[in-house]
Amino acid sequence: MSLDGRTAEYWNTVGQDNARHVTAPAKALAGHRTHGPHFEPVRLDHLTTEARNPASETLDGLTTVEMVRVMNSEDARVAEAVGREAEAIATVVDVVADRLKRGGRLIYTGAGTSGRLGVLDASECPPTFNTDPSMVVGIIAGGVQALTTAVEGAEDSPELGASDLEAIGLGPNDVLVGIATSGRTPYVVGGLRYARKVGAYTVALSCNAAAEIIEMADTAITPVVGPEVLSGSTRLKAGTATKLVLNTITTGAMVRLGKTFGNLMVDLRPTNSKLHSRAVRIVQQATGIDAAAAQAMLTACGGEVKLAIVAQLADVSPEEAQTRLAECGGLVRKSIRR
């Protein structure tokens, strides 16, 4: 996960803070282990994502290929559900692009699978779009440990959801996307409430139509995917829908920020052999020159793909190409036409 100075310090300590929070009930129950931990009952029967799916009620009795086909058939519903949220997603894309232009950040917050997906999307932005690691940040209940191990109880604290955002300095220029499939996760609820308090733009991403977090958001994105093949296992259809939405938000915002030329990633960071080869190929595809010429132009432009494209297509020096890009807000097409 990519972190800026403030978030690095936060992640170094959040594991200890969360450990104190989560283990407190365990200490209170010392000597009464046979009764297990105490959790307040939560009403889930009204949630679509917790309902039983008629198509998979005999799941354990199906042949393997039948089981695969049932899952695939249910997965096919996900893209349609996300498509129905196109206008809401587009609104968020434009808001995120505007806030990022003004120096704000896109922050994801969530617990469990939702939190992991937010961290994943955030971590993919620097190598794909050459963004500063602090531009898109993923926060998960329970801290770094929760990426690979369930931190029981972390999602039940709205106070922790707020304090984790306070620790990274969430402010009015930022956009907070609270991700909660159920729409009621206390950690996310606390985060959204804190975000509204400090003036950040709030987005509620859930997969239930009557989600509690909707009323806490400036914009709600609600792809209702229906009951899961495995009842309540929201890492399935709901998780896929969440990833599709996050993909669209960051990709769309980066397009608006000039990180692409057509459908080419022209702001990628060639940090390994594969990405270097991709950079050469992108320059070739954008300009029509051969691999050797593309490599030479990239070298002359310090490995910057969009600089190489502008220099080649506008027939100007790398220095002039840099000036044009600066004057045109990093937009390749506009820089070439100028």
Side-chain angles (χ1 to χ4, degrees):
M1 193 180 342
S2 301
L3 309 168
D4 63 8
R6 287 178 296 179
T7 52
E9 181 179 355
Y10 158 71
W11 282 114
N12 286 335
T13 59
V14 72
Q16 298 174 1
D17 292 340
N18 285 331
R20 285 193 291 270
H21 168 78
V22 172
T23 57
K27 291 177 181 178
L29 292 168
H32 301 278
R33 296 182 183 276
T34 55
H35 298 292
H38 172 73
F39 295 109
E40 292 296 326
V42 176
R43 180 172 170 263
L44 301 175
D45 56 294
H46 66 295
L47 300 177
T48 304
T49 50
E50 295 291 332
R52 290 194 69 184
N53 191 327
S56 59
E57 285 185 350
T58 60
L59 190 64
D60 61 339
L62 301 177
T63 66
T64 303
V65 71
E66 287 172 337
M67 178 173 59
V68 170
R69 284 174 177 155
V70 167
M71 293 189 69
N72 180 251
S73 177
E74 289 298 308
D75 286 342
R77 302 173 185 271
V78 175
E80 294 179 1
V82 173
R84 290 192 288 270
E85 297 299 300
E87 291 189 8
I89 297 171
T91 296
V92 173
V93 167
D94 287 335
V95 170
V96 169
D98 178 66
R99 296 295 176 98
L100 294 181
K101 285 179 184 177
R102 291 193 271 149
R105 297 170 297 172
L106 169 60
I107 311 294
Y108 294 131
T109 186
T113 297
S114 295
R116 294 183 191 102
L117 289 171
V119 170
L120 174 62
D121 194 69
S123 67
E124 290 173 340
C125 287
T128 306
F129 300 110
N130 197 21
T131 58
D132 187 284
S134 66
M135 181 179 281
V136 183
V137 178
I139 302 296
I140 181 171
V144 174
Q145 178 187 352
L147 293 174
T148 57
T149 306
V151 179
E152 302 298 339
E155 72 171 58
D156 293 331
S157 172
E159 295 79 14
L160 189 59
S163 64
D164 282 355
L165 294 173
E166 182 179 13
I168 64 165
L170 186 77
N173 285 330
D174 298 327
V175 176
L176 178 72
V177 179
I179 311 169
T181 293
S182 66
R184 54 146 304 275
T185 307
Y187 179 85
V188 176
V189 169
L192 285 169
R193 285 175 176 163
Y194 177 78
R196 291 188 74 105
K197 179 181 176 182
V198 300
Y201 190 93
T202 54
V203 179
L205 173 53
S206 65
C207 293
N208 282 281
E212 180 182 339
I213 60 174
I214 291 176
E215 65 182 35
M216 304 167 195
D218 294 302
T219 299
I221 300 173
T222 315
V224 179
V225 296
E228 299 287 2
V229 169
L230 190 62
S231 299
S233 182
T234 52
R235 70 184 184 87
L236 300 177
K237 290 192 295 182
T240 301
T242 297
K243 186 64 170 78
L244 290 178
V245 171
L246 301 187
N247 284 347
T248 306
I249 291 173
T250 45
T251 301
M254 296 305 162
V255 170
R256 291 287 171 255
L257 290 176
K259 300 285 186 178
T260 62
F261 178 51
N263 62 354
L264 298 175
M265 297 185 292
V266 296
D267 227 356
L268 86 164
R269 184 181 301 165
T271 56
N272 57 43
S273 297
K274 181 189 77 173
L275 291 179
H276 177 76
S277 297
R278 180 178 293 166
V280 172
R281 190 171 69 255
I282 288 172
V283 174
Q284 285 184 263
Q285 292 171 330
T287 64
I289 59 180
D290 62 28
Q295 175 63 68
M297 182 58 76
L298 265 175
T299 300
C301 293
E304 294 189 33
V305 175
K306 63 164 52 177
L307 195 60
I309 293 171
V310 173
Q312 178 65 33
L313 292 182
D315 193 21
V316 296
S317 68
E319 293 75 21
E320 171 62 18
Q322 185 68 69
T323 298
R324 290 188 178 205
L325 282 166
E327 293 175 348
C328 296
L331 300 173
V332 172
R333 195 177 302 279
K334 188 175 180 180
S335 299
I336 295 169
R337 289 174 176 171
R338 191 184 80 77

